[in-house]
Amino acid sequence: MAHLPRCLPLIRCHTMCRYVLNARRSRTPIYPKDASTIFTLLDVLPGARLLEAGTGNAGLTMFLARAVGETGRVDTVERSESTHKHAKNIVRGFARGFFLPQIRFYVGSVGDVVPEIGRLPGESESGIYDGMVLDMPSPWSELPSLVPYLKTDRYCVCYLPNMSQVMDLVGACRPWPLLVERVLEVEWREWDVRTTLVRCGDASPPPEAAEDDAGDLQRQQQQPPVAWVCHPSHRPKGHTAFLVCLRRCRQQPQPDSLT
């Protein structure tokens, strides 16, 4: 069997989920369990325009591109030039680059890039992005410059590995027109459900079996009955990060609304 390259090519049996998990990594990817929750929290429709800060391994980038459809657009920004190039190759390697037309890749600080690729909304406008995802250690450092580009009543989801970062973000949001709607920890508990053979060599046969002829009884005793067993899988599907869902409001929220 031919050796498969580390960055998997188009293989019909590979879903996007498997491709993301098995593709060569320059960064730890946002796992499918978190990616699916993120675009559910964003509540976007086909044709939406999204901003992603922190392209990383491009796993979430492709999930977002699938969510916005062929008429939508994902602007993804990565600080590292090498990670930026690696992410483009990862997207290009899935389904012959099916999602490339919906994705715009940028290198640099998201606070510097967004003013160049968008336009600052006027007082009567509500932004250009239908949703944002920030995968960075201190999103509160960039949020003040990004909030004007988010449409009113739309969502920004921050991906944070530990609770201390979550508390810092919630505290920093108080002066801004952002409501902290939800803080989630996503966990998938996978179960292994299969059949097994019941070993009952010393068990007595049921009463009705005595009425069968000797040959039928012997065959029944040679074929153990089948039963179903199920137990949680031991593959890790637990904590990877916390998701903080923020919603832009029209006015600065009162402090009590964030407690």
Side-chain angles (χ1 to χ4, degrees):
M1 182 176 179
H3 175 69
L4 291 177
R6 295 182 70 185
C7 183
L8 297 177
L10 172 66
I11 303 177
R12 292 187 181 276
C13 65
H14 276 280
T15 63
M16 192 167 74
C17 176
R18 290 182 179 177
Y19 180 82
V20 167
L21 292 177
N22 290 284
R24 184 169 60 88
R25 301 179 181 184
S26 66
R27 298 286 189 275
T28 301
I30 294 182
Y31 290 96
K33 72 180 183 68
D34 296 311
S36 59
T37 305
I38 287 172
F39 68 71
T40 298
L41 292 173
L42 291 176
D43 191 34
V44 295
L45 297 174
R49 185 179 180 184
L50 303 178
L51 173 68
E52 179 190 30
T55 310
N57 223 53
L60 177 62
T61 311
M62 290 193 290
F63 277 98
L64 295 177
R66 185 167 69 178
V68 301
E70 295 182 2
T71 59
R73 173 174 163 181
V74 177
D75 295 331
T76 182
V77 185
E78 173 59 48
R79 282 183 173 272
S80 168
E81 177 71 31
S82 60
T83 302
H84 159 79
K85 293 179 179 179
H86 173 78
K88 290 187 72 173
N89 288 331
I90 293 295
V91 176
R92 188 179 293 113
F94 180 75
R96 299 190 179 95
F98 181 81
F99 293 116
L100 280 176
Q102 294 105 280
I103 303 172
R104 303 290 186 272
F105 294 88
Y106 301 93
V107 181
S109 169
V110 65
D112 297 331
V113 171
V114 169
E116 297 178 3
I117 63 178
R119 56 182 176 83
L120 187 63
E123 294 181 357
S124 61
E125 297 170 340
S126 59
I128 59 175
Y129 286 110
D130 299 287
M132 296 180 177
V133 182
L134 307 183
D135 179 12
M136 56 179 63
S138 55
W140 50 87
S141 64
E142 301 286 2
L143 267 173
S145 62
L146 297 178
V147 169
Y149 293 90
L150 180 64
K151 293 181 179 180
T152 303
D153 285 330
R154 301 312 302 163
Y155 300 97
C156 173
V157 178
C158 298
Y159 182 89
L160 298 170
N162 61 69
M163 183 53 68
S164 63
Q165 293 170 302
V166 173
M167 292 187 290
D168 289 341
L169 173 61
V170 172
C173 283
R174 290 176 177 267
W176 308 327
L178 292 171
L179 289 173
V180 181
E181 291 227 326
R182 306 181 75 180
V183 177
L184 298 176
E185 181 182 24
V186 182
E187 182 175 358
W188 281 359
R189 190 177 188 186
E190 191 167 325
W191 285 73
D192 181 22
V193 180
R194 56 186 172 81
T195 59
T196 187
L197 296 178
V198 178
R199 299 183 182 276
C200 53
D202 56 349
S204 59
E208 58 271 16
E211 301 177 2
D212 296 339
D213 57 66
D216 289 341
L217 180 59
Q218 184 178 7
R219 284 191 295 271
Q220 289 180 13
Q221 292 176 342
Q222 291 175 351
Q223 297 178 358
V226 174
W228 287 93
V229 295
C230 56
H231 56 80
S233 170
H234 295 292
R235 289 187 291 273
K237 297 287 184 180
H239 175 77
T240 47
F242 295 99
L243 304 179
V244 182
C245 183
L246 309 172
R247 177 167 61 89
R248 184 186 174 185
C249 53
R250 296 184 182 276
Q251 298 179 351
Q252 178 178 328
Q254 298 299 318
D256 290 343
S257 65
L258 295 177
T259 57

